[in-house]
Amino acid sequence: MSMTQPDSKTLVDIYQKMTLIKHSDDRVIGAMKAGRMVMPYYSARGQECIPSAISVQLTDEDYLVTIYRGVHDMLAKGLPPKLLWAELAGKVTGSCKGKGGPMHLTYPSKGCMVTTGVVGASMPIACGLGLAAQLRGESRVTVANFGDGASNIGAFHESLNLAAVWKLPVIFVCQNNRYAEHTAYSKGTSVERIADRAASYNMPGLHVDGNDPIAVYNAAKQAIARARAGEGPTLIEAVTFRFNGHLIGDAGEYIPKPEYERAVKDDPYPRYRNWLVENKHATAADLDAIDASIKQLIDEAEAFAMSSAAPDASEVKRDVYATEIA
Amino acid sequence: MSMTQPDSKTLVDIYQKMTLIKHSDDRVIGAMKAGRMVMPYYSARGQECIPSAISVQLTDEDYLVTIYRGVHDMLAKGLPPKLLWAELAGKVTGSCKGKGGPMHLTYPSKGCMVTTGVVGASMPIACGLGLAAQLRGESRVTVANFGDGASNIGAFHESLNLAAVWKLPVIFVCQNNRYAEHTAYSKGTSVERIADRAASYNMPGLHVDGNDPIAVYNAAKQAIARARAGEGPTLIEAVTFRFNGHLIGDAGEYIPKPEYERAVKDDPYPRYRNWLVENKHATAADLDAIDASIKQLIDEAEAFAMSSAAPDASEVKRDVYATEIA
Amino acid sequence: MSEVKNFGDTEASKAADVNLGDAPKKAAPVNMIQSLNWALHDAMEADANVIVFGEEIADPEGGGIVKISSGLSTKYGNRVRSTPISEMGFMGAAVGAAVVGFKPVVEIMLMNFVAVCMDQITNHAAKLRFMSGGQTHVPMVIRTMTGSGFQNGGQHSDFLEAWFCHTPGIKVVMPSNPADGYGLLRSAIDDEDPVLFIEHLNNYWTPGAAPERGKKIPLGKARIHRPGKDVTVIGYSRSMLDIPPVVEKLAKEGIDCEVIDLRTVQPMDMDTILTSVKKTGRAVIVHEACRSFGVGAELSSRIHEALFRELKAPVERVASEDCPVPYAPPLEAAYLYTHAELEASIRKTLA
Amino acid sequence: MSEVKNFGDTEASKAADVNLGDAPKKAAPVNMIQSLNWALHDAMEADANVIVFGEEIADPEGGGIVKISSGLSTKYGNRVRSTPISEMGFMGAAVGAAVVGFKPVVEIMLMNFVAVCMDQITNHAAKLRFMSGGQTHVPMVIRTMTGSGFQNGGQHSDFLEAWFCHTPGIKVVMPSNPADGYGLLRSAIDDEDPVLFIEHLNNYWTPGAAPERGKKIPLGKARIHRPGKDVTVIGYSRSMLDIPPVVEKLAKEGIDCEVIDLRTVQPMDMDTILTSVKKTGRAVIVHEACRSFGVGAELSSRIHEALFRELKAPVERVASEDCPVPYAPPLEAAYLYTHAELEASIRKTLA
Ligand SMILES: Cc1ncc(C[n+]2csc(CCOP(=O)(O)OP(=O)(O)O)c2C)c(N)n1
Ligand SMILES: Cc1ncc(C[n+]2csc(CCOP(=O)(O)OP(=O)(O)O)c2C)c(N)n1
Ligand SMILES: [Mg+2]
Ligand SMILES: [Mg+2]
């Protein structure tokens, strides 16, 4: 894979997205610990780099599909923090009016099309979004996110094959955080690199360090170019780690201590921040300013969520069908 | 793959199985055309070689799972022709008392465990049979048959991965007859060789000419040895052709004429017969004697089927649960 | 091979004058295959967002196993595709395309195969509108066929409409005759919600009045097939072939049945049903699916709930045995309700 | 993090004295997690053919998400396995192992995920005995859990028992309390047919009488939870937590309800139910699954069919709204039936 270095502006944009994701996540967990919010929440802390380095290359026209662990993907793609927070809080002002919650975040005007709670299900749907773009002759691409565990379910196989046979403009992004709930990678997955499974579909498979924004950026660049050129799908495996366990409340006993410690050392967020400053893509002050503006955004989002109203009970009759039920 | 030549006895045993399959099939179709039998029948004419060259290496203890197009697999494994014919004819003397029919042939005492009509479903079940043998410390192997089209369904992927992770003694045999119903191979399958998909599971994948008994014999030998040694599963792709379309009644318009003609030239049955005689593994007279004995077997099977009684209507209450329903 | 009973190869199929993809020369009776084929052609012509896919449905693959999609791929090219055998994959693809404004019509070759793609149908297609708070919706049609009587055995013959009726968010349509087939399929394709459209193998070759091209039949409305005053007999799909002869026989004895064809099973047209049963005071429900926990149960309980005091007899259910569909013809016959059972049930309400 | 409402991490879970894998020191109240864990331990001890698998169920993975299988893999090694995320694959593996004499107990982590492996359950496990003419059978148990009230949203909360009740060949068991959980799970594992064993998240942490180790409760038998003479109230699973307080409230007014816990939903114990309703002349059915086409429909129609002349009022159904399970707590509450609705339904039968 040929590596190009994005310009400083792009690098800082990636940082900005990563910061938004990280701060939002820290704050959600804080609100949960303080008892201000209650929900099943799947933190993506540690995986910020992947959607950030991909989404800086996407437009609002491009489609995104993700999973329960998808807040980072959604924020990077443009889901407004206020609407996210209100949705997490189950408020009527949330993007899904409080009906979906963290596992079903949706915001079509930024291309955030579907979030699924069923492992594997994002991929077939992505094929349909890709098909839509192909039939309409549009250059949109569809990014389908999923986990390492999901690469073992049937929907993965069917989707990659279908996308390959139909040459669909879909990018399958496996965010390999080495665990599926509490199951270590090799207990569920028979192959060393998920990217190698692309060969079963005569499709490029790119294996990258998911904590390296430049590597992810380049893999995505290549896949996006291929998809926009009508050459078909790509599988990207981005290796990473999630620091807050499967679900908030997970104490992580199943993760060997040395592995966890190595992951902390590899944490992309502080490393990337330092790298940007060291390599003069931004000054510490620039980044501080970004941090501050994001802090404010999250403050607003939390305040908005907390002060918003809960949905009315009558909502159970609405959105089941186009016509309200009796 | 190292090739060994089986001894003449084995080669003739293979011929005998192939003859049994071919004659039975010819006669079933004859009975259907003559209006003596009515059913949805999926002929495996042309694919005789695959189960014959595999099953000569199996014992009654080994398990077999197959699909609607599986009469050849069942006969090669030992399903008695009488019980087969009576089942096809929907008689109470059939192996499944007339309740299963051609798509659900079963005969556990010869290891014929399950026949499924749902594409792909044979493979997960085979994993369970393999798991049983593994847990009991038995050396039995399980052979799971399926078609080329089935290699695109999720169950294929999940099963191969599971078998690999658990090192199950299962042999996945893809009988690639180049069509899935009326769909040509490349319209459904994104990879040139299905055997290459084995790499996704860190499993050996063997691609062989399914019309060459020696090639199939050797691939199976290797896979069986591996399974019996506890080393895990193997994927075998045996390329072949089916001459009577998907289902009897299929006129085959979707098959290009030159392809069909080439397949006729490659028909394993007459070629193998000639080869056996030319290479002095048997005389023409030996083979004629086999043919005659098999003709008699089928005569008996047909007579048995025709003269047997239909199941009684009360059978709908039986075998739903262990206890008869009220 | 006329002796081989098979899809598309029955005496009935030869009797009917199938005229795929073209307008009929005269309003001669047509069969369901013809009328559904017209509906697909007309819908694709009327709306460029209609796309069609499924196994074997393009013309090089034969235009569908009973040729319902014949001619579509030749005319509409890339909008019509045969798929790999990947129901989960292509059902999800339909969901995705529908979410951004296409109107996919996907075929599940036989109804039992919904079992390999239930997740996309019940967890996604049916729920995305609700879970997204109305931001997205899934205007797609799933066409499928099923039915006993073809010796297809336990994995190829089931009627599973009750599973989907119990899944809020999806509609279930089950036509019984060619004209309804046309009009209901057109409406299903237009509908803003996912619709499961279930066809019956036994009904494909039965000739019936030709549909008026372009005439849509609203979903959710039952049809009074025969007015009557003594007993309400409610059917849909295949049972609408069995009810009329029994009812006509009883008519000769002066038993005057009102026959209702549900057409849409979810949502059910309770107005029409309750109006009728209020009048007759008696009801019999007939379906091919096995009896227990079937559609008949819901209908029966709704009628009892609404008209308990008006009912002159308990509501009767006529349905198949609670067993898998067997292979041998005498067992297939024993599985399905008989005309005699139907007749007895109607008489029982009058006893 | 006591403020985080989550599986295994509620106030109730802390209150109960869970004692995984070991015999209780005294017959103190235990919860369902404890009793099911005992049942699995005792079954594995009693029969070497019992094997257990599913996602996360071995001890290195935590012994199951609420720890029901805790200790099993440590004690029974290879007979207990965490699986890849491949429900179709491992469900089929259970079918295969059962066909040759193992008694697999497989866990589907949450009930909605049956949608990715319906084929192995409904087309294979449920039908192989019949389709093979009795040559093979499939003695396996599918354990799964579900239920609203945890903000798990539309894809993690559904009760889908009606789908399986409508699938001949499989049994459906839904315990409501720890002692029943133990005894029914033991019988389900012993059973020669496939059994779907559905657990309710809300019932896991409710303390109840400890089961007697080794005591099995036969499948297909309902339990009279409270004898009474005025109205029969029929529940199962979670609704058995809601019925008693409402019934006790009414008892103070002199309304004497007979409460029946179905325990096995398919086959249903019609003897017990009809005997009770014959006596009371009134019946109310309560379940968490959405109302339409649910188990309540079958039960209601059977009662009407059998006791039409004896009934003093139409059978009432109390169930959830016909919509996907929503996320926000007030909507989850609006989805589920309320105690007030249940009370009103009981009163209605007496009006
Ligand atoms: C079909 C299905 N099976 C099981 C689950 C329960 N489950 C939720 S997340 C998860 C692990 C997924 O792991 P992975 O794909 O690696 O994604 P990650 O959570 O690590 O991001 C499981 C088993 C589910 N949601 N869907
Ligand atoms: C899940 C499922 N989808 C569709 C079908 C209908 N069907 C029956 S056979 C078949 C083609 C299978 O082709 P292949 O796997 O190549 O096997 P072959 O028939 O060629 O032996 C299809 C699509 C089915 N039985 N099951
Ligand atoms: Mg993971
Ligand atoms: Mg094939």
Side-chain angles (χ1 to χ4, degrees):
Chain A
M1 194 167 76
S2 77
M3 283 283 202
T4 61
Q5 168 112 333
D7 59 23
S8 295
K9 175 175 178 315
T10 305
L11 290 169
V12 172
D13 285 350
I14 294 174
Y15 174 80
Q16 175 152 24
K17 286 184 189 292
M18 287 174 65
T19 305
L20 174 64
I21 295 165
K22 181 177 180 300
H23 282 216
S24 178
D25 188 76
D26 289 347
R27 290 282 293 275
V28 166
I29 294 171
M32 291 176 73
K33 291 198 183 177
R36 288 196 305 278
M37 283 171 104
V38 174
M39 74 186 116
Y41 180 73
Y42 304 81
S43 162
R45 176 74 266 287
Q47 302 183 194
E48 297 86 356
C49 164
I50 301 166
S52 301
I54 296 172
S55 278
V56 286
Q57 304 177 73
L58 301 176
T59 75
D60 291 353
E61 302 294 294
D62 294 315
Y63 295 133
L64 180 87
V65 181
T66 190
I67 62 171
Y68 50 89
R69 192 184 317 287
V71 166
H72 59 321
D73 299 324
M74 289 279 158
L75 283 173
K77 188 72 176 59
L79 173 65
K82 276 181 165 183
L83 303 192
L84 166 71
W85 275 72
E87 187 60 30
L88 298 182
K91 300 302 178 71
V92 71
T93 52
S95 62
C96 305
K97 298 197 255 176
K99 290 175 158 178
M103 286 202 255
H104 304 297
L105 297 168
T106 309
Y107 194 61
S109 65
K110 291 285 180 180
C112 301
M113 302 312 300
V114 175
T115 299
T116 180
V118 180
V119 166
S122 58
M123 291 175 268
I125 295 174
C127 287
L129 296 167
L131 175 64
Q134 184 189 67
L135 283 171
R136 290 185 174 133
E138 297 166 340
S139 69
R140 303 179 200 245
V141 305
T142 298
V143 174
N145 293 285
F146 58 100
D148 48 299
S151 79
N152 299 314
I153 203 163
F156 166 90
H157 178 66
E158 296 192 10
S159 304
L160 270 74
N161 184 60
L162 186 68
V165 171
W166 288 357
K167 280 189 167 242
L168 300 177
V170 178
I171 303 164
F172 296 96
V173 178
C174 178
Q175 302 193 17
N176 177 359
N177 57 18
R178 301 178 239 167
Y179 285 87
E181 298 219 354
H182 302 180
T183 305
Y185 180 87
S186 63
K187 280 204 185 169
T189 313
S190 53
V191 73
E192 213 176 308
R193 293 182 165 200
I194 290 166
D196 291 346
R197 289 187 165 162
S200 280
Y201 317 102
N202 198 18
M203 180 192 300
L206 310 175
H207 177 92
V208 296
D209 177 356
N211 292 344
D212 176 349
I214 318 283
V216 176
Y217 180 91
N218 277 281
K221 189 176 173 203
Q222 184 175 325
I224 292 167
R226 182 175 146 84
R228 294 213 203 278
E231 289 161 13
T234 299
L235 170 62
I236 296 175
E237 175 188 9
V239 181
T240 181
F241 193 77
R242 37 104 171 124
F243 286 102
N244 294 320
H246 176 60
L247 193 62
I248 299 303
D250 166 356
E253 314 86 346
Y254 53 92
I255 304 174
K257 231 182 145 104
E259 179 176 351
Y260 194 92
E261 281 161 7
R262 203 174 337 109
V264 171
K265 247 188 49 214
D266 290 345
D267 186 345
Y269 188 76
R271 276 165 62 215
Y272 186 52
R273 194 182 207 282
N274 290 342
W275 182 89
L276 283 176
V277 175
E278 272 167 26
N279 291 276
K280 309 225 174 344
H281 295 294
T283 64
D286 294 339
L287 302 187
D288 287 346
I290 288 176
D291 297 357
S293 78
I294 280 172
K295 187 188 168 301
Q296 196 188 327
L297 218 58
I298 306 294
D299 285 344
E300 285 165 18
E302 180 163 4
F304 177 75
M306 293 304 150
S307 64
S308 289
D312 187 78
S314 64
E315 281 291 337
V316 297
K317 308 273 189 191
R318 245 164 262 144
D319 303 322
V320 183
Y321 296 97
T323 319
E324 200 163 320
I325 53 179
Chain B
M1 194 167 73
S2 77
M3 284 282 200
T4 60
Q5 168 113 334
D7 60 22
S8 295
K9 178 177 175 315
T10 305
L11 290 169
V12 172
D13 285 351
I14 294 174
Y15 173 80
Q16 177 153 23
K17 286 184 189 291
M18 287 174 66
T19 305
L20 174 64
I21 295 165
K22 181 175 180 301
H23 282 216
S24 179
D25 188 77
D26 288 348
R27 291 281 294 275
V28 166
I29 293 171
M32 291 177 75
K33 290 198 181 175
R36 289 196 304 278
M37 283 173 104
V38 174
M39 74 185 115
Y41 181 72
Y42 304 81
S43 164
R45 177 70 268 285
Q47 301 182 195
E48 296 86 356
C49 164
I50 301 166
S52 301
I54 296 172
S55 278
V56 287
Q57 304 177 73
L58 302 175
T59 75
D60 291 352
E61 302 294 293
D62 293 316
Y63 295 133
L64 180 86
V65 181
T66 189
I67 62 171
Y68 51 90
R69 192 186 315 288
V71 166
H72 59 321
D73 299 325
M74 288 279 156
L75 283 174
K77 189 71 176 55
L79 173 65
K82 276 181 165 182
L83 303 192
L84 166 70
W85 274 71
E87 186 59 30
L88 298 183
K91 300 303 178 69
V92 70
T93 54
S95 61
C96 305
K97 298 198 256 174
K99 290 176 159 176
M103 286 202 256
H104 305 297
L105 297 169
T106 309
Y107 193 62
S109 65
K110 290 286 180 179
C112 301
M113 303 311 300
V114 175
T115 300
T116 179
V118 180
V119 166
S122 57
M123 291 174 268
I125 295 174
C127 287
L129 295 167
L131 174 65
Q134 184 188 65
L135 283 171
R136 292 188 173 130
E138 298 166 338
S139 69
R140 304 181 200 243
V141 304
T142 298
V143 174
N145 293 285
F146 58 100
D148 47 298
S151 80
N152 299 314
I153 203 163
F156 165 90
H157 178 68
E158 296 192 12
S159 304
L160 270 74
N161 184 61
L162 186 67
V165 170
W166 287 358
K167 278 188 169 245
L168 300 176
V170 177
I171 303 163
F172 296 97
V173 178
C174 178
Q175 302 193 17
N176 176 359
N177 58 19
R178 301 178 238 167
Y179 286 87
E181 297 221 351
H182 302 181
T183 305
Y185 180 88
S186 63
K187 281 204 183 168
T189 313
S190 53
V191 71
E192 212 176 308
R193 293 182 165 201
I194 290 165
D196 291 346
R197 289 185 167 163
S200 279
Y201 317 102
N202 197 19
M203 179 192 301
L206 309 174
H207 177 92
V208 296
D209 177 355
N211 293 343
D212 176 348
I214 318 284
V216 175
Y217 180 91
N218 276 281
K221 190 176 173 203
Q222 185 175 324
I224 293 167
R226 183 174 145 85
R228 296 214 202 278
E231 290 161 11
T234 301
L235 171 63
I236 297 175
E237 174 187 10
V239 181
T240 183
F241 193 76
R242 38 106 170 122
F243 286 103
N244 295 320
H246 176 60
L247 193 64
I248 299 302
D250 167 354
E253 313 85 347
Y254 53 92
I255 304 174
K257 231 182 146 101
E259 180 176 351
Y260 194 91
E261 281 160 9
R262 202 174 338 108
V264 170
K265 248 187 50 215
D266 291 344
D267 185 346
Y269 189 75
R271 276 166 62 216
Y272 186 52
R273 193 183 208 282
N274 289 341
W275 181 89
L276 283 176
V277 175
E278 272 166 25
N279 291 277
K280 309 229 177 337
H281 295 294
T283 64
D286 294 339
L287 302 187
D288 288 346
I290 289 175
D291 296 358
S293 78
I294 279 172
K295 186 186 168 302
Q296 198 188 326
L297 218 58
I298 306 296
D299 285 344
E300 285 165 20
E302 180 164 2
F304 177 75
M306 292 304 149
S307 64
S308 289
D312 187 77
S314 63
E315 281 292 336
V316 298
K317 308 274 190 190
R318 246 164 262 143
D319 304 322
V320 182
Y321 296 97
T323 320
E324 199 164 320
I325 54 179
Chain C
M1 273 178 284
S2 70
E3 61 293 347
V4 181
K5 182 164 91 179
N6 222 320
F7 302 153
D9 189 32
T10 62
E11 290 311 310
S13 84
K14 262 157 250 149
D17 181 23
V18 181
N19 182 12
L20 296 164
D22 286 318
K25 305 289 175 283
K26 50 185 170 62
V30 300
N31 68 19
M32 184 75 92
I33 295 170
Q34 174 70 84
S35 75
L36 297 180
N37 179 259
W38 283 338
L40 291 172
H41 273 276
D42 293 354
M44 292 201 77
E45 180 70 32
D47 184 349
N49 285 316
V50 177
I51 57 179
V52 175
F53 48 95
E55 290 152 13
E56 317 284 306
I57 61 99
D59 289 327
E61 286 72 55
I65 63 168
V66 293
K67 300 205 176 297
I68 285 172
S69 44
S70 185
L72 295 175
S73 71
T74 302
K75 193 151 176 204
Y76 297 101
N78 222 2
R79 283 167 59 198
V80 181
R81 303 183 187 202
S82 291
T83 62
I85 310 176
S86 311
E87 283 83 358
M88 187 73 101
F90 71 74
M91 188 62 65
V95 171
V99 156
V100 292
F102 277 96
K103 292 185 164 287
V105 183
V106 292
E107 179 179 302
I108 294 293
M109 194 182 280
L110 288 171
M111 181 150 208
N112 281 84
F113 313 151
V114 296
V116 301
C117 57
M118 280 299 273
D119 175 55
Q120 286 294 340
I121 304 174
T122 64
N123 285 327
H124 295 88
K127 291 176 181 166
L128 286 181
R129 181 191 287 276
F130 188 86
M131 296 191 308
S132 73
Q135 293 178 98
T136 61
H137 63 283
V138 189
M140 65 188 270
V141 176
I142 302 162
R143 280 189 45 246
T144 192
M145 54 183 111
T146 191
S148 66
F150 292 82
Q151 287 180 255
N152 281 318
Q155 294 182 333
H156 284 64
S157 313
D158 280 325
F159 271 93
L160 304 169
E161 66 273 15
W163 291 0
F164 300 93
C165 290
H166 189 54
T167 304
I170 190 165
K171 298 179 179 174
V172 180
V173 175
M174 301 181 71
S176 68
N177 65 73
D180 279 6
Y182 177 92
L184 290 167
L185 183 52
R186 291 297 308 273
S187 293
I189 294 171
D190 286 351
D191 204 83
E192 290 299 313
D193 288 306
V195 177
L196 178 63
F197 191 91
I198 307 173
E199 303 158 21
H200 192 295
L201 286 162
N202 261 299
N203 282 9
Y204 276 144
W205 297 281
T206 311
E212 186 185 321
R213 300 285 282 258
K215 193 171 162 219
K216 298 169 188 173
I217 297 175
L219 303 190
K221 292 273 168 248
R223 180 177 60 85
I224 299 188
H225 177 81
R226 179 194 195 281
K229 59 180 189 358
D230 297 329
V231 189
T232 302
V233 183
I234 305 163
Y236 56 90
S237 184
R238 180 243 167 78
S239 64
M240 290 307 299
L241 298 183
D242 299 310
I243 295 169
V246 173
V247 160
E248 290 319 319
K249 181 180 167 197
L250 292 171
K252 296 205 187 95
E253 295 179 24
I255 299 174
D256 186 21
C257 296
E258 177 144 305
V259 178
I260 296 179
D261 182 348
L262 275 186
R263 301 202 287 202
T264 300
V265 179
Q266 164 62 11
M268 284 198 291
D269 182 358
M270 291 313 296
D271 284 350
T272 299
I273 295 162
L274 295 179
T275 303
S276 174
V277 181
K278 205 164 202 157
K279 177 176 70 179
T280 61
R282 300 174 181 95
V284 177
I285 305 150
V286 197
H287 59 59
E288 176 164 337
C290 69
R291 176 186 175 92
S292 292
F293 303 88
V295 164
E298 179 66 26
L299 200 40
S300 165
S301 26
R302 289 195 193 177
I303 295 171
H304 284 115
E305 284 160 4
L307 300 174
F308 184 72
R309 306 285 167 206
E310 287 94 332
L311 279 173
K312 297 174 188 135
V315 178
E316 287 284 315
R317 291 183 286 163
V318 177
S320 294
E321 286 288 331
D322 288 326
C323 68
V325 182
Y327 168 70
L331 297 185
E332 265 191 306
Y335 164 76
L336 188 70
Y337 61 82
T338 61
H339 286 202
E341 281 162 23
L342 171 53
E343 185 183 325
S345 288
I346 296 172
R347 288 188 193 282
K348 200 169 155 201
T349 63
L350 288 154
Chain D
M1 270 179 285
S2 70
E3 62 292 348
V4 181
K5 181 164 89 180
N6 222 321
F7 302 152
D9 189 32
T10 62
E11 288 314 311
S13 85
K14 261 158 253 152
D17 181 22
V18 181
N19 182 12
L20 296 164
D22 285 318
K25 307 287 177 282
K26 48 182 170 67
V30 302
N31 68 18
M32 183 75 91
I33 295 170
Q34 175 70 83
S35 75
L36 296 180
N37 180 258
W38 283 338
L40 291 172
H41 273 275
D42 293 353
M44 292 201 78
E45 181 70 30
D47 183 349
N49 286 314
V50 177
I51 57 179
V52 175
F53 48 95
E55 290 151 13
E56 318 285 306
I57 62 99
D59 289 328
E61 287 71 55
I65 64 169
V66 293
K67 301 205 178 294
I68 286 172
S69 45
S70 185
L72 295 175
S73 72
T74 302
K75 192 150 177 206
Y76 297 101
N78 221 3
R79 283 166 59 198
V80 181
R81 301 182 188 203
S82 292
T83 62
I85 310 176
S86 311
E87 283 84 357
M88 187 73 100
F90 71 74
M91 188 61 65
V95 171
V99 157
V100 293
F102 277 98
K103 294 185 163 287
V105 182
V106 293
E107 179 178 301
I108 293 293
M109 194 182 282
L110 288 171
M111 182 150 206
N112 281 84
F113 313 151
V114 296
V116 299
C117 58
M118 280 298 275
D119 176 54
Q120 286 294 340
I121 304 174
T122 64
N123 286 325
H124 294 89
K127 291 177 181 167
L128 286 182
R129 181 193 285 276
F130 188 86
M131 297 192 307
S132 75
Q135 292 178 96
T136 61
H137 63 281
V138 189
M140 64 187 271
V141 175
I142 302 162
R143 278 189 48 244
T144 192
M145 56 182 109
T146 191
S148 65
F150 291 82
Q151 288 179 258
N152 280 317
Q155 295 183 333
H156 285 63
S157 313
D158 281 325
F159 272 94
L160 303 169
E161 66 273 17
W163 292 359
F164 300 93
C165 291
H166 190 54
T167 303
I170 191 164
K171 297 178 180 174
V172 180
V173 174
M174 301 181 69
S176 68
N177 64 74
D180 279 6
Y182 177 92
L184 291 167
L185 183 53
R186 291 298 309 272
S187 294
I189 294 171
D190 285 351
D191 203 85
E192 290 299 313
D193 288 305
V195 177
L196 177 65
F197 192 91
I198 307 172
E199 302 158 19
H200 193 295
L201 285 162
N202 260 299
N203 282 9
Y204 277 143
W205 297 280
T206 311
E212 185 185 321
R213 300 285 281 257
K215 191 169 163 223
K216 297 169 188 174
I217 297 175
L219 305 189
K221 293 270 168 251
R223 180 175 61 85
I224 299 188
H225 177 81
R226 178 194 196 282
K229 59 178 187 2
D230 297 330
V231 188
T232 303
V233 183
I234 305 163
Y236 56 90
S237 184
R238 182 245 165 78
S239 64
M240 291 306 300
L241 297 184
D242 300 310
I243 294 169
V246 173
V247 160
E248 292 317 321
K249 179 178 170 202
L250 292 171
K252 298 204 187 98
E253 296 180 24
I255 299 174
D256 186 21
C257 296
E258 177 144 306
V259 179
I260 297 179
D261 182 347
L262 275 186
R263 301 204 286 201
T264 301
V265 180
Q266 163 63 11
M268 285 198 290
D269 182 357
M270 292 312 298
D271 284 351
T272 300
I273 294 163
L274 295 179
T275 303
S276 173
V277 182
K278 206 165 201 154
K279 177 176 69 179
T280 61
R282 302 176 179 92
V284 176
I285 305 150
V286 198
H287 59 62
E288 175 165 337
C290 69
R291 174 185 175 92
S292 292
F293 303 88
V295 164
E298 180 66 26
L299 201 40
S300 165
S301 26
R302 288 194 193 179
I303 295 171
H304 283 115
E305 284 160 1
L307 300 173
F308 185 72
R309 308 284 166 205
E310 287 93 332
L311 280 173
K312 297 176 189 136
V315 178
E316 287 285 315
R317 292 183 285 164
V318 177
S320 294
E321 286 288 332
D322 288 326
C323 68
V325 181
Y327 169 70
L331 297 184
E332 264 191 307
Y335 163 77
L336 189 70
Y337 61 82
T338 60
H339 286 201
E341 281 161 23
L342 170 54
E343 185 183 326
S345 289
I346 296 172
R347 288 189 193 280
K348 200 169 155 200
T349 63
L350 290 154

